[in-house]
Amino acid sequence: MSLDKLVYSTGIGKIDSKPAKQNEKRSTDGIVRIRRETKGRKGKGVCTISGVDMDDAALKKLCTELKKSCGTGGSVKQGVIEIQGDKRDKIKDILVSKGMTVKFAGG
C-alpha cells in the first residue's frame, strides 16, 4: 500500500497535488485587473489586484508602495495584492505610471 498520495483528510483542508513554489514567477496575459470585493469580509470592501507579472518579492514591494500612497493597509495572498478600501482610481493611476496595462474587473 502506497502512502505518498493523500486521499482524504479532515485536518488539512484543500489538498493540492502541486503546491505553488514560493518565488515562482506567474505567467499572465499582460493585463492587470483591479477588482473591488466584499464577499467573505463582513461587508468591508477591498481592492484586489491580480495579473501582475512579478515574483513574490517584487509583489510585496509593490504592495508596500500602494499601501503608502493610498494610506491604507493591505497584503499579498497567493499572488494577489489586497488593498483595504475602495481606492481603485488611485491604484490605477499608480500602475499606469509604471507602464502597466490596467483594467477594472467586476462591478
Coordinates of all heavy atoms in Angstrom, one line a residue:
M1 N 0.8 -1.2 0.0 CA 0.0 0.0 0.0 C 0.9 1.2 0.0 O 1.8 1.4 0.8 CB -0.9 0.0 1.2 CG -1.9 1.0 1.3 SD -3.0 0.5 2.6 CE -3.8 2.0 2.9
S2 N 0.6 2.1 -0.9 CA 1.4 3.3 -1.1 C 0.9 4.4 -0.2 O -0.3 4.7 -0.1 CB 1.4 3.8 -2.5 OG 2.1 5.0 -2.7
L3 N 1.8 5.1 0.5 CA 1.4 6.2 1.4 C 1.7 7.6 0.9 O 1.6 8.6 1.6 CB 2.0 6.0 2.8 CG 1.6 4.7 3.5 CD1 2.4 4.6 4.8 CD2 0.1 4.7 3.8
D4 N 2.2 7.7 -0.3 CA 2.7 9.0 -0.8 C 1.6 9.9 -1.4 O 1.8 11.0 -1.7 CB 3.8 8.9 -1.8 CG 3.5 7.9 -2.9 OD1 2.6 7.1 -2.8 OD2 4.3 7.9 -3.9
K5 N 0.4 9.3 -1.6 CA -0.7 10.1 -2.1 C -1.9 10.2 -1.1 O -2.5 9.2 -0.8 CB -1.3 9.6 -3.5 CG -2.3 10.4 -4.1 CD -2.8 9.9 -5.4 CE -3.9 10.9 -5.9 NZ -4.4 10.4 -7.2
L6 N -2.2 11.4 -0.6 CA -3.2 11.6 0.4 C -4.6 11.5 -0.3 O -4.8 12.2 -1.3 CB -3.0 12.9 1.1 CG -4.0 13.2 2.2 CD1 -3.8 12.2 3.3 CD2 -3.7 14.6 2.7
V7 N -5.5 10.7 0.2 CA -6.8 10.5 -0.4 C -7.8 11.4 0.3 O -8.6 12.1 -0.3 CB -7.2 9.1 -0.3 CG1 -8.6 8.9 -0.9 CG2 -6.2 8.2 -1.1
Y8 N -7.8 11.4 1.6 CA -8.8 12.2 2.4 C -8.2 12.6 3.7 O -7.5 11.8 4.4 CB -10.1 11.4 2.6 CG -11.1 12.1 3.4 CD1 -11.9 13.0 2.8 CD2 -11.3 11.8 4.8 CE1 -12.9 13.7 3.5 CE2 -12.2 12.5 5.5 CZ -13.1 13.4 4.8 OH -14.0 14.1 5.6
S9 N -8.5 13.8 4.1 CA -8.1 14.3 5.4 C -9.0 15.4 5.9 O -9.4 16.3 5.1 CB -6.6 14.8 5.4 OG -6.3 15.3 6.6
T10 N -9.4 15.4 7.2 CA -10.2 16.4 7.7 C -9.4 17.6 8.3 O -10.0 18.6 8.5 CB -11.2 15.9 8.8 OG1 -10.4 15.3 9.8 CG2 -12.1 14.9 8.2
G11 N -8.2 17.4 8.6 CA -7.4 18.3 9.3 C -6.6 19.3 8.4 O -6.2 20.3 8.8
I12 N -6.4 19.0 7.1 CA -5.6 19.8 6.2 C -6.4 20.8 5.4 O -5.9 21.9 5.2 CB -4.8 18.9 5.3 CG1 -3.9 18.0 6.1 CG2 -4.0 19.7 4.3 CD1 -3.1 17.0 5.3
G13 N -7.6 20.5 5.0 CA -8.3 21.4 4.2 C -8.2 21.0 2.7 O -8.2 19.8 2.4
K14 N -8.0 22.0 1.9 CA -7.9 21.7 0.4 C -6.6 20.9 0.2 O -5.5 21.3 0.6 CB -7.9 23.0 -0.4 CG -7.9 22.7 -1.9 CD -8.0 24.0 -2.6 CE -7.9 23.7 -4.1 NZ -7.9 24.9 -4.9
I15 N -6.7 19.9 -0.6 CA -5.5 19.0 -0.9 C -5.1 19.4 -2.3 O -5.8 19.2 -3.3 CB -5.8 17.5 -0.8 CG1 -6.3 17.2 0.7 CG2 -4.6 16.7 -1.1 CD1 -6.8 15.8 0.8
D16 N -3.9 19.9 -2.4 CA -3.3 20.3 -3.7 C -2.3 19.2 -4.2 O -1.5 18.8 -3.4 CB -2.6 21.6 -3.7 CG -3.3 22.7 -4.4 OD1 -4.2 22.4 -5.2 OD2 -2.9 23.9 -4.2
S17 N -2.4 18.8 -5.4 CA -1.4 17.9 -5.9 C -0.1 18.5 -6.2 O 0.9 17.9 -6.1 CB -2.0 17.2 -7.2 OG -2.2 18.2 -8.2
K18 N -0.1 19.8 -6.6 CA 1.1 20.6 -6.9 C 1.1 21.9 -6.1 O 0.5 22.8 -6.5 CB 1.2 20.9 -8.4 CG 2.3 20.1 -9.1 CD 2.5 20.8 -10.4 CE 1.6 20.3 -11.5 NZ 1.9 20.8 -12.8
P19 N 1.8 22.0 -5.0 CA 1.8 23.3 -4.3 C 2.6 24.3 -5.0 O 3.6 24.0 -5.7 CB 2.5 22.9 -2.9 CG 3.2 21.6 -3.2 CD 2.5 20.9 -4.3
A20 N 2.2 25.5 -4.9 CA 2.9 26.6 -5.6 C 4.2 26.9 -5.0 O 4.4 26.9 -3.8 CB 2.1 27.9 -5.6
K21 N 5.2 27.1 -5.8 CA 6.6 27.5 -5.3 C 6.6 28.9 -4.8 O 5.9 29.7 -5.3 CB 7.6 27.2 -6.3 CG 7.8 25.8 -6.7 CD 8.8 25.6 -7.7 CE 8.9 24.1 -8.1 NZ 9.8 23.9 -9.2
Q22 N 7.4 29.2 -3.8 CA 7.4 30.5 -3.1 C 7.8 31.6 -4.0 O 7.2 32.6 -4.1 CB 8.2 30.4 -1.9 CG 8.1 31.6 -0.9 CD 6.7 31.6 -0.3 OE1 5.9 30.6 -0.3 NE2 6.3 32.7 0.3
N23 N 8.9 31.5 -4.7 CA 9.4 32.5 -5.6 C 9.2 32.3 -7.0 O 10.0 32.7 -7.9 CB 10.9 32.8 -5.3 CG 11.1 33.4 -3.9 OD1 10.3 34.2 -3.5 ND2 12.2 33.0 -3.2
E24 N 8.2 31.6 -7.4 CA 7.9 31.3 -8.8 C 7.2 32.5 -9.5 O 6.3 33.1 -8.9 CB 7.0 30.1 -8.9 CG 6.7 29.6 -10.2 CD 5.9 28.4 -10.2 OE1 6.4 27.4 -9.7 OE2 4.7 28.4 -10.6
K25 N 7.7 32.9 -10.7 CA 7.1 34.0 -11.4 C 5.8 33.5 -12.1 O 5.8 32.4 -12.8 CB 8.1 34.5 -12.4 CG 7.7 35.8 -13.1 CD 8.8 36.3 -13.9 CE 8.4 37.7 -14.5 NZ 9.4 38.2 -15.4
R26 N 4.7 34.2 -12.0 CA 3.5 33.8 -12.5 C 3.3 34.3 -14.0 O 3.6 35.4 -14.2 CB 2.3 34.3 -11.7 CG 2.3 33.7 -10.3 CD 1.5 34.5 -9.3 NE 1.7 34.1 -8.0 CZ 2.7 34.4 -7.2 NH1 3.6 35.2 -7.6 NH2 2.8 33.9 -6.0
S27 N 2.8 33.4 -14.8 CA 2.6 33.9 -16.2 C 1.1 34.4 -16.3 O 0.2 33.9 -15.8 CB 2.7 32.7 -17.2 OG 1.8 31.7 -16.9
T28 N 1.0 35.6 -17.0 CA -0.3 36.2 -17.1 C -0.4 36.7 -18.6 O 0.5 36.5 -19.4 CB -0.3 37.5 -16.2 OG1 0.7 38.4 -16.6 CG2 -0.2 37.1 -14.8
D29 N -1.6 37.3 -18.9 CA -1.8 37.8 -20.2 C -1.3 39.2 -20.4 O -1.6 39.8 -21.5 CB -3.3 37.6 -20.6 CG -4.2 38.4 -19.6 OD1 -3.7 39.0 -18.6 OD2 -5.4 38.5 -19.9
G30 N -0.7 39.8 -19.4 CA -0.2 41.1 -19.5 C -1.1 42.2 -19.1 O -0.8 43.4 -19.2
I31 N -2.3 41.9 -18.7 CA -3.3 42.9 -18.2 C -3.5 42.8 -16.7 O -3.8 41.7 -16.2 CB -4.6 42.7 -18.9 CG1 -4.5 42.9 -20.4 CG2 -5.7 43.7 -18.4 CD1 -5.7 42.5 -21.2
V32 N -3.3 43.9 -16.0 CA -3.5 43.9 -14.6 C -5.0 44.2 -14.3 O -5.5 45.2 -14.9 CB -2.6 45.0 -13.9 CG1 -2.9 45.0 -12.4 CG2 -1.1 44.6 -14.2
R33 N -5.6 43.4 -13.5 CA -7.1 43.6 -13.2 C -7.3 44.0 -11.8 O -6.8 43.4 -10.9 CB -7.8 42.3 -13.5 CG -7.9 42.1 -15.0 CD -8.6 40.8 -15.4 NE -8.8 40.6 -16.8 CZ -7.9 40.2 -17.6 NH1 -6.7 39.9 -17.2 NH2 -8.2 40.1 -18.9
I34 N -8.0 45.1 -11.6 CA -8.4 45.6 -10.3 C -9.8 45.4 -10.1 O -10.7 45.7 -10.9 CB -8.1 47.2 -10.2 CG1 -6.6 47.5 -10.5 CG2 -8.5 47.7 -8.8 CD1 -6.3 48.9 -10.6
R35 N -10.1 44.7 -9.0 CA -11.5 44.3 -8.6 C -11.8 44.7 -7.2 O -11.0 44.6 -6.3 CB -11.6 42.8 -8.8 CG -12.9 42.2 -8.4 CD -12.9 40.7 -8.6 NE -12.7 40.3 -10.0 CZ -11.7 39.6 -10.5 NH1 -10.8 39.1 -9.7 NH2 -11.6 39.3 -11.8
R36 N -13.0 45.2 -7.0 CA -13.5 45.5 -5.6 C -14.3 44.4 -5.1 O -15.2 43.9 -5.8 CB -14.4 46.8 -5.6 CG -14.8 47.2 -4.3 CD -15.6 48.5 -4.3 NE -16.0 48.8 -2.9 CZ -17.1 48.4 -2.4 NH1 -17.9 47.6 -3.0 NH2 -17.4 48.8 -1.1
E37 N -13.9 43.8 -4.0 CA -14.6 42.7 -3.4 C -15.0 43.0 -2.0 O -14.4 43.7 -1.2 CB -13.7 41.5 -3.4 CG -13.3 41.0 -4.7 CD -12.4 39.7 -4.7 OE1 -12.1 39.3 -3.6 OE2 -12.0 39.3 -5.8
T38 N -16.2 42.4 -1.6 CA -16.7 42.5 -0.2 C -17.0 41.1 0.3 O -17.2 40.9 1.5 CB -17.9 43.3 -0.1 OG1 -18.9 42.8 -0.9 CG2 -17.6 44.8 -0.5
K39 N -17.1 40.1 -0.5 CA -17.5 38.8 -0.1 C -16.5 38.1 0.8 O -15.3 38.1 0.6 CB -17.7 37.9 -1.4 CG -18.3 36.5 -1.1 CD -18.6 35.8 -2.3 CE -19.3 34.5 -2.0 NZ -19.7 33.8 -3.2
G40 N -17.0 37.6 1.9 CA -16.2 36.9 2.9 C -15.4 37.9 3.8 O -14.5 37.5 4.5
R41 N -15.8 39.2 3.8 CA -15.0 40.2 4.6 C -16.0 41.0 5.4 O -15.7 42.1 5.8 CB -14.3 41.1 3.6 CG -13.2 40.3 2.9 CD -12.5 41.3 1.9 NE -11.3 40.6 1.4 CZ -11.3 39.8 0.3 NH1 -12.4 39.6 -0.3 NH2 -10.2 39.3 -0.1
K42 N -17.1 40.4 5.8 CA -18.1 41.1 6.7 C -18.5 42.4 6.2 O -18.7 43.4 6.9 CB -17.6 41.1 8.1 CG -17.3 39.8 8.7 CD -16.8 39.9 10.1 CE -16.5 38.5 10.6 NZ -15.9 38.6 12.0
G43 N -18.7 42.6 4.8 CA -19.1 43.9 4.3 C -18.0 44.9 4.0 O -18.3 45.9 3.4
K44 N -16.8 44.6 4.5 CA -15.7 45.5 4.3 C -15.2 45.4 2.9 O -14.9 44.2 2.5 CB -14.6 45.3 5.3 CG -15.0 45.2 6.7 CD -15.2 46.5 7.3 CE -15.5 46.4 8.8 NZ -15.5 47.5 9.6
G45 N -15.0 46.4 2.2 CA -14.5 46.4 0.8 C -13.0 46.4 0.7 O -12.3 47.1 1.5
V46 N -12.5 45.6 -0.2 CA -11.0 45.6 -0.5 C -10.9 45.7 -2.0 O -11.8 45.2 -2.8 CB -10.3 44.4 0.0 CG1 -10.3 44.4 1.5 CG2 -10.8 43.1 -0.5
C47 N -9.8 46.2 -2.5 CA -9.4 46.1 -3.9 C -8.4 45.0 -4.1 O -7.4 45.0 -3.4 CB -8.8 47.5 -4.4 SG -10.0 48.8 -4.4
T48 N -8.7 44.1 -5.0 CA -7.7 43.0 -5.3 C -7.1 43.3 -6.6 O -7.8 43.7 -7.6 CB -8.4 41.7 -5.3 OG1 -9.5 41.7 -6.3 CG2 -9.0 41.3 -3.9
I49 N -5.8 43.2 -6.7 CA -5.0 43.5 -7.9 C -4.4 42.2 -8.3 O -3.5 41.6 -7.6 CB -4.0 44.5 -7.7 CG1 -4.6 45.8 -7.2 CG2 -3.2 44.8 -8.9 CD1 -3.9 46.5 -6.0
S50 N -4.8 41.6 -9.5 CA -4.3 40.4 -10.0 C -3.7 40.6 -11.4 O -4.0 41.5 -12.1 CB -5.4 39.3 -10.0 OG -6.5 39.7 -10.8
G51 N -2.9 39.6 -11.8 CA -2.3 39.6 -13.1 C -1.0 40.4 -13.2 O -0.6 40.7 -14.3
V52 N -0.5 40.7 -12.1 CA 0.8 41.4 -12.1 C 1.9 40.4 -12.3 O 2.0 39.4 -11.6 CB 1.1 42.2 -10.7 CG1 2.4 42.9 -10.8 CG2 -0.1 43.1 -10.4
D53 N 2.7 40.6 -13.3 CA 3.7 39.6 -13.7 C 5.0 39.9 -13.0 O 6.0 40.4 -13.6 CB 3.9 39.7 -15.3 CG 4.7 38.5 -15.8 OD1 4.7 37.5 -15.1 OD2 5.3 38.7 -16.9
M54 N 5.1 39.6 -11.7 CA 6.2 39.8 -10.9 C 6.4 38.6 -9.9 O 5.4 37.8 -9.7 CB 6.1 41.0 -10.0 CG 6.0 42.3 -10.7 SD 5.8 43.7 -9.6 CE 5.8 45.0 -10.6
D55 N 7.6 38.4 -9.4 CA 7.8 37.4 -8.4 C 7.3 37.9 -7.0 O 6.9 39.0 -6.9 CB 9.2 36.9 -8.3 CG 10.2 38.0 -8.0 OD1 9.8 39.1 -7.9 OD2 11.4 37.7 -7.8
D56 N 7.4 37.0 -6.0 CA 6.8 37.4 -4.7 C 7.5 38.6 -4.0 O 6.8 39.4 -3.4 CB 6.9 36.2 -3.8 CG 5.9 35.1 -4.1 OD1 4.9 35.4 -4.8 OD2 6.1 33.9 -3.7
A57 N 8.8 38.7 -4.1 CA 9.5 39.8 -3.5 C 9.1 41.1 -4.1 O 8.9 42.1 -3.5 CB 11.0 39.6 -3.6
A58 N 9.0 41.1 -5.5 CA 8.6 42.4 -6.2 C 7.1 42.7 -5.9 O 6.8 43.9 -5.8 CB 8.8 42.2 -7.7
L59 N 6.3 41.7 -5.7 CA 4.9 41.9 -5.4 C 4.7 42.6 -4.0 O 3.9 43.5 -3.8 CB 4.1 40.6 -5.4 CG 3.5 40.2 -6.7 CD1 2.8 38.9 -6.6 CD2 2.6 41.2 -7.3
K60 N 5.5 42.1 -3.0 CA 5.5 42.7 -1.7 C 6.0 44.1 -1.7 O 5.4 45.0 -1.0 CB 6.3 41.8 -0.7 CG 5.7 40.5 -0.4 CD 6.5 39.7 0.6 CE 5.8 38.4 0.9 NZ 6.6 37.6 1.8
K61 N 7.0 44.4 -2.5 CA 7.5 45.8 -2.6 C 6.4 46.7 -3.3 O 6.2 47.8 -2.8 CB 8.8 45.8 -3.5 CG 9.5 47.1 -3.5 CD 10.8 47.0 -4.3 CE 11.4 48.3 -4.4 NZ 12.6 48.3 -5.2
L62 N 5.8 46.2 -4.3 CA 4.7 47.0 -5.0 C 3.5 47.2 -4.0 O 3.0 48.3 -3.9 CB 4.2 46.3 -6.2 CG 3.1 46.9 -7.0 CD1 3.5 48.3 -7.5 CD2 2.6 46.1 -8.1
C63 N 3.2 46.2 -3.2 CA 2.1 46.3 -2.2 C 2.4 47.3 -1.2 O 1.6 48.1 -0.9 CB 1.9 44.9 -1.6 SG 0.6 44.9 -0.3
T64 N 3.7 47.4 -0.7 CA 4.1 48.4 0.2 C 4.0 49.8 -0.3 O 3.5 50.7 0.3 CB 5.5 48.1 0.7 OG1 5.6 46.8 1.2 CG2 6.0 49.1 1.7
E65 N 4.4 49.9 -1.6 CA 4.3 51.2 -2.2 C 2.8 51.7 -2.4 O 2.4 52.8 -2.1 CB 4.9 51.2 -3.6 CG 4.9 52.5 -4.4 CD 5.6 52.4 -5.7 OE1 6.4 51.5 -5.9 OE2 5.3 53.2 -6.6
L66 N 1.9 50.7 -2.8 CA 0.5 51.1 -2.9 C -0.1 51.4 -1.6 O -1.0 52.3 -1.5 CB -0.3 49.9 -3.6 CG 0.1 49.6 -5.1 CD1 -0.6 48.3 -5.5 CD2 -0.4 50.8 -5.9
K67 N 0.2 50.7 -0.5 CA -0.3 50.9 0.8 C 0.1 52.3 1.3 O -0.8 53.1 1.8 CB 0.1 49.9 1.8 CG -0.5 48.5 1.6 CD -0.2 47.6 2.7 CE 1.3 47.4 3.0 NZ 1.6 46.4 4.0
K68 N 1.3 52.7 1.0 CA 1.8 54.0 1.5 C 1.1 55.2 0.7 O 0.7 56.2 1.3 CB 3.3 54.1 1.3 CG 4.1 53.4 2.3 CD 5.5 53.5 2.1 CE 6.3 52.7 3.2 NZ 7.8 52.8 3.0
S69 N 0.9 55.0 -0.6 CA 0.3 56.0 -1.4 C -1.2 56.1 -1.2 O -1.7 57.2 -1.3 CB 0.6 55.8 -2.9 OG 0.0 54.6 -3.3
C70 N -1.9 55.0 -0.8 CA -3.3 55.1 -0.5 C -3.6 55.4 0.9 O -4.7 55.8 1.3 CB -3.9 53.7 -0.9 SG -4.0 53.4 -2.7
G71 N -2.6 55.2 1.8 CA -2.8 55.5 3.2 C -3.7 54.4 3.9 O -4.4 54.7 4.8
T72 N -3.6 53.2 3.4 CA -4.4 52.1 4.0 C -3.5 50.9 4.2 O -2.4 50.9 3.9 CB -5.6 51.7 3.1 OG1 -5.0 51.2 1.8 CG2 -6.5 52.9 2.8
G73 N -4.1 49.8 4.7 CA -3.5 48.6 4.9 C -3.7 47.7 3.7 O -4.4 48.0 2.8
G74 N -3.0 46.5 3.7 CA -3.1 45.6 2.7 C -2.2 44.4 2.8 O -1.4 44.4 3.8
S75 N -2.2 43.5 1.9 CA -1.4 42.3 2.0 C -1.3 41.7 0.6 O -2.0 42.0 -0.3 CB -1.9 41.3 3.0 OG -3.1 40.8 2.6
V76 N -0.4 40.7 0.5 CA -0.2 39.8 -0.7 C -0.6 38.4 -0.3 O 0.0 37.9 0.6 CB 1.2 39.9 -1.2 CG1 1.3 39.0 -2.5 CG2 1.6 41.3 -1.6
K77 N -1.6 37.9 -1.0 CA -2.0 36.5 -0.7 C -2.1 35.7 -2.0 O -2.9 36.1 -2.9 CB -3.4 36.5 0.0 CG -3.4 37.1 1.3 CD -4.7 37.0 2.0 CE -4.7 37.7 3.4 NZ -6.0 37.8 3.9
Q78 N -1.3 34.7 -2.2 CA -1.3 33.8 -3.3 C -1.1 34.6 -4.6 O -1.9 34.3 -5.6 CB -2.5 32.9 -3.3 CG -2.6 32.0 -2.1 CD -3.9 31.2 -2.1 OE1 -4.8 31.4 -2.9 NE2 -4.0 30.3 -1.2
G79 N -0.3 35.5 -4.7 CA 0.0 36.3 -5.9 C -1.0 37.4 -6.2 O -1.0 38.0 -7.3
V80 N -1.9 37.7 -5.3 CA -2.9 38.7 -5.5 C -2.7 39.8 -4.4 O -2.6 39.5 -3.2 CB -4.4 38.2 -5.4 CG1 -5.4 39.3 -5.5 CG2 -4.6 37.1 -6.4
I81 N -2.6 41.0 -4.8 CA -2.4 42.1 -3.8 C -3.8 42.6 -3.4 O -4.7 42.8 -4.2 CB -1.7 43.3 -4.5 CG1 -0.3 42.9 -4.9 CG2 -1.6 44.5 -3.5 CD1 0.4 43.9 -5.7
E82 N -4.0 42.7 -2.1 CA -5.3 43.2 -1.5 C -5.0 44.5 -0.8 O -4.1 44.6 0.1 CB -5.8 42.2 -0.5 CG -6.2 40.9 -1.1 CD -6.8 39.9 -0.1 OE1 -6.8 40.2 1.1 OE2 -7.3 38.9 -0.5
I83 N -5.7 45.6 -1.2 CA -5.6 46.9 -0.6 C -7.0 47.2 0.1 O -8.0 47.1 -0.6 CB -5.2 48.0 -1.6 CG1 -3.9 47.6 -2.3 CG2 -5.2 49.3 -1.0 CD1 -2.7 47.7 -1.4
Q84 N -7.0 47.6 1.3 CA -8.2 47.9 2.0 C -8.9 49.2 1.5 O -8.2 50.1 1.2 CB -7.9 48.1 3.5 CG -7.4 46.8 4.2 CD -7.1 47.0 5.6 OE1 -7.1 48.1 6.1 NE2 -6.7 45.9 6.3
G85 N -10.2 49.1 1.4 CA -11.0 50.3 1.0 C -11.1 50.3 -0.5 O -10.6 49.5 -1.3
D86 N -11.9 51.3 -1.0 CA -12.2 51.4 -2.4 C -11.2 52.5 -3.0 O -11.6 53.7 -3.1 CB -13.6 51.8 -2.7 CG -14.0 51.8 -4.2 OD1 -13.2 51.3 -5.0 OD2 -15.1 52.2 -4.5
K87 N -10.1 52.1 -3.4 CA -9.0 53.1 -3.9 C -8.7 52.7 -5.3 O -7.5 52.9 -5.8 CB -7.8 53.0 -3.0 CG -8.0 53.1 -1.6 CD -8.3 54.5 -1.2 CE -8.3 54.7 0.3 NZ -8.7 56.0 0.7
R88 N -9.7 52.2 -6.1 CA -9.4 51.7 -7.5 C -8.8 52.8 -8.4 O -7.8 52.5 -9.1 CB -10.7 51.2 -8.1 CG -11.1 49.9 -7.5 CD -12.4 49.4 -8.1 NE -13.5 50.3 -7.7 CZ -14.7 50.1 -8.0 NH1 -15.1 49.1 -8.8 NH2 -15.7 50.9 -7.5
D89 N -9.3 54.0 -8.4 CA -8.8 55.1 -9.3 C -7.3 55.4 -9.0 O -6.5 55.6 -9.9 CB -9.7 56.3 -9.2 CG -11.1 56.0 -9.7 OD1 -11.2 55.2 -10.7 OD2 -12.0 56.6 -9.1
K90 N -7.0 55.5 -7.7 CA -5.7 55.9 -7.3 C -4.7 54.8 -7.6 O -3.6 55.0 -8.1 CB -5.6 56.2 -5.8 CG -4.4 56.8 -5.3 CD -4.5 57.2 -3.8 CE -4.0 58.6 -3.6 NZ -4.1 59.0 -2.2
I91 N -5.1 53.5 -7.4 CA -4.3 52.4 -7.7 C -4.0 52.3 -9.2 O -2.9 52.0 -9.7 CB -4.9 51.1 -7.2 CG1 -4.9 51.0 -5.7 CG2 -4.2 49.8 -7.7 CD1 -5.8 49.9 -5.1
K92 N -5.1 52.5 -10.0 CA -4.9 52.5 -11.5 C -3.9 53.6 -11.9 O -3.0 53.3 -12.8 CB -6.3 52.7 -12.2 CG -6.1 52.7 -13.7 CD -7.5 52.9 -14.3 CE -7.3 52.8 -15.9 NZ -8.5 53.0 -16.6
D93 N -4.0 54.8 -11.4 CA -3.1 55.8 -11.8 C -1.6 55.4 -11.5 O -0.7 55.7 -12.3 CB -3.4 57.1 -11.1 CG -4.7 57.7 -11.5 OD1 -5.2 57.4 -12.6 OD2 -5.3 58.5 -10.7
I94 N -1.4 54.8 -10.3 CA 0.0 54.4 -9.9 C 0.5 53.3 -10.9 O 1.6 53.4 -11.4 CB 0.0 53.9 -8.5 CG1 -0.3 55.1 -7.5 CG2 1.3 53.3 -8.1 CD1 -0.6 54.7 -6.1
L95 N -0.3 52.3 -11.2 CA 0.1 51.2 -12.0 C 0.3 51.6 -13.5 O 1.2 51.2 -14.1 CB -0.9 50.1 -11.9 CG -1.0 49.4 -10.5 CD1 -2.1 48.3 -10.6 CD2 0.3 48.8 -10.1
V96 N -0.5 52.6 -14.0 CA -0.4 53.1 -15.3 C 0.9 53.9 -15.4 O 1.6 53.8 -16.4 CB -1.6 53.9 -15.8 CG1 -1.3 54.7 -17.0 CG2 -2.8 53.0 -16.0
S97 N 1.3 54.6 -14.4 CA 2.5 55.4 -14.4 C 3.7 54.5 -14.4 O 4.8 54.9 -14.8 CB 2.6 56.3 -13.2 OG 2.7 55.6 -12.0
K98 N 3.6 53.2 -14.0 CA 4.6 52.2 -14.0 C 4.7 51.5 -15.3 O 5.5 50.6 -15.5 CB 4.5 51.2 -12.9 CG 4.7 51.8 -11.5 CD 4.7 50.8 -10.5 CE 5.1 51.3 -9.1 NZ 6.5 51.6 -9.1
G99 N 3.8 51.8 -16.3 CA 3.8 51.2 -17.6 C 3.0 50.0 -17.7 O 3.2 49.2 -18.7
M100 N 2.1 49.7 -16.8 CA 1.3 48.5 -16.9 C -0.1 48.8 -17.6 O -0.6 49.9 -17.5 CB 1.0 48.0 -15.5 CG 2.2 47.6 -14.7 SD 1.8 47.0 -13.1 CE 3.4 46.8 -12.3
T101 N -0.6 47.8 -18.2 CA -2.0 47.9 -18.8 C -3.0 47.5 -17.7 O -2.9 46.3 -17.2 CB -2.1 46.9 -20.0 OG1 -1.1 47.2 -20.9 CG2 -3.4 47.1 -20.7
V102 N -3.9 48.4 -17.4 CA -4.8 48.1 -16.3 C -6.2 48.2 -16.7 O -6.6 49.0 -17.5 CB -4.6 49.2 -15.2 CG1 -5.5 49.0 -14.0 CG2 -3.1 49.2 -14.7
K103 N -7.1 47.2 -16.2 CA -8.5 47.2 -16.5 C -9.2 47.0 -15.1 O -8.7 46.3 -14.2 CB -8.9 46.1 -17.4 CG -8.5 46.3 -18.8 CD -9.0 45.1 -19.6 CE -8.7 45.3 -21.1 NZ -9.2 44.2 -21.9
F104 N -10.4 47.6 -15.1 CA -11.3 47.3 -13.9 C -12.1 46.1 -14.2 O -12.6 45.9 -15.3 CB -12.3 48.5 -13.7 CG -11.6 49.7 -13.1 CD1 -11.9 51.0 -13.7 CD2 -10.7 49.7 -12.1 CE1 -11.3 52.1 -13.2 CE2 -10.1 50.8 -11.6 CZ -10.4 52.0 -12.2
A105 N -12.2 45.2 -13.3 CA -12.9 43.9 -13.4 C -14.1 43.9 -12.4 O -13.9 44.5 -11.3 CB -12.0 42.7 -13.3
G106 N -15.1 43.2 -12.7 CA -16.2 43.0 -11.8 C -17.1 44.3 -11.8 O -17.1 45.0 -12.7
G107 N -17.8 44.4 -10.7 CA -18.8 45.5 -10.6 C -18.3 46.7 -9.9 O -17.7 47.5 -9.7

